[in-house]
Amino acid sequence: MRVEEILPAGMQRLGIPASPGQLEQLERFRLELERWNRVHGFVKAEGRELVIRHFLDSLAAWPVVRLLEPRHGILDVGSGAGFPGIPLAVVLPDSQFTLLERSGRRAAFLRNACILLGLGNATVAEAQLRELDRRYDVVTFRAFSPLDRELPLLRSRVAPGGWIAAYKGKSDRLEGEIRDAGLGTSEVEVHRLVVPFLEEERHLVLIR
């Protein structure tokens, strides 16, 4: 399977009803990231691995995130090269995304990507989490600190009735993070994610 065929095939497996325009946006984003990545090394992946480990991994949470209420305003903490924020913004056009990135170089890439893709529902905030002064319906992140380390700060940026949505890996390590954060079973939902073409454990942790 060619690289450009992996993403639409994976999205079909996930049940994401992507339009031709959305598929074009995601492919344009992949090509732009490949171009910047050769110079700046934003992610340690390219080609097939980039699509599976970053694009499809980000989109694997779509079946869960799309059902969250409310989810008008979504904050992607430590957006980096735009994951999961940009792929989710493409397939959730009715949500407004803020891509939070403290690195000036990465923030510049994110701004460029949003313009290139015509993403009217995504803006970039070049700042640290503690510098934000508003709250969001959903605060999400990948490749971030263990839950217990940043949980109080994350919670301070969630609107009443909102959610923290954390992308995590293996269940045994995840159980330890939840325990160390002092979270009770009534506060947490753990959803197993199936990432197409990836034989690894992935989970989405929802904290109300």
Side-chain angles (χ1 to χ4, degrees), residues 2-190:
R2 294 181 301 171
V3 172
E4 59 268 26
E5 297 172 334
I6 296 172
L7 185 57
M11 292 175 72
Q12 187 173 23
R13 291 191 186 188
L14 290 168
I16 301 176
S19 68
Q22 288 171 321
L23 290 173
E24 183 183 346
Q25 282 179 303
L26 290 168
E27 176 63 9
R28 198 180 308 154
F29 178 46
R30 180 185 72 83
L31 293 173
E32 186 70 358
L33 177 55
E34 294 264 24
R35 188 172 72 85
W36 281 64
N37 209 36
R38 284 193 290 269
V39 178
H40 302 294
F42 289 154
V43 293
K44 296 179 181 179
E46 59 183 19
R48 177 185 175 89
E49 186 179 12
L50 174 63
V51 173
I52 295 171
R53 290 189 174 275
H54 295 281
F55 283 79
L56 290 177
D57 184 75
S58 296
L59 292 169
W62 175 85
V64 179
V65 175
R66 74 184 182 94
L67 297 176
L68 294 179
E69 290 292 345
R71 63 162 173 82
H72 176 72
I74 299 180
L75 175 68
D76 179 20
V77 179
S79 194
F83 302 107
I86 288 182
L88 287 179
V90 170
V91 298
L92 293 172
D94 57 337
S95 292
Q96 295 295 317
F97 284 77
T98 299
L99 311 177
L100 178 66
E101 176 53 52
R102 64 183 181 181
S103 163
R105 184 173 295 171
R106 288 183 173 87
F109 166 73
L110 293 173
R111 291 190 192 97
N112 173 77
C114 289
I115 293 170
L116 182 67
L117 273 59
L119 273 183
N121 65 327
T123 58
V124 179
E126 186 179 335
Q128 297 193 47
L129 181 58
R130 66 184 69 256
E131 296 172 340
L132 296 183
D133 58 0
R134 61 163 289 193
R135 291 173 176 251
Y136 299 82
D137 299 323
V138 181
V139 174
T140 190
F141 56 88
R142 291 170 78 234
F144 197 58
S145 303
L147 287 173
D148 63 308
R149 191 175 303 170
E150 300 289 347
L151 190 56
L153 182 56
L154 289 166
R155 275 180 159 157
S156 72
R157 298 300 177 264
V158 180
W163 305 85
I164 294 172
Y167 285 72
K168 293 292 179 180
K170 293 183 178 180
S171 56
D172 54 350
R173 182 172 179 178
L174 173 56
E175 289 169 3
E177 283 195 36
I178 292 173
R179 185 176 57 251
D180 292 344
L183 292 166
T185 55
S186 62
E187 301 173 89
V188 179
E189 295 178 20
V190 178

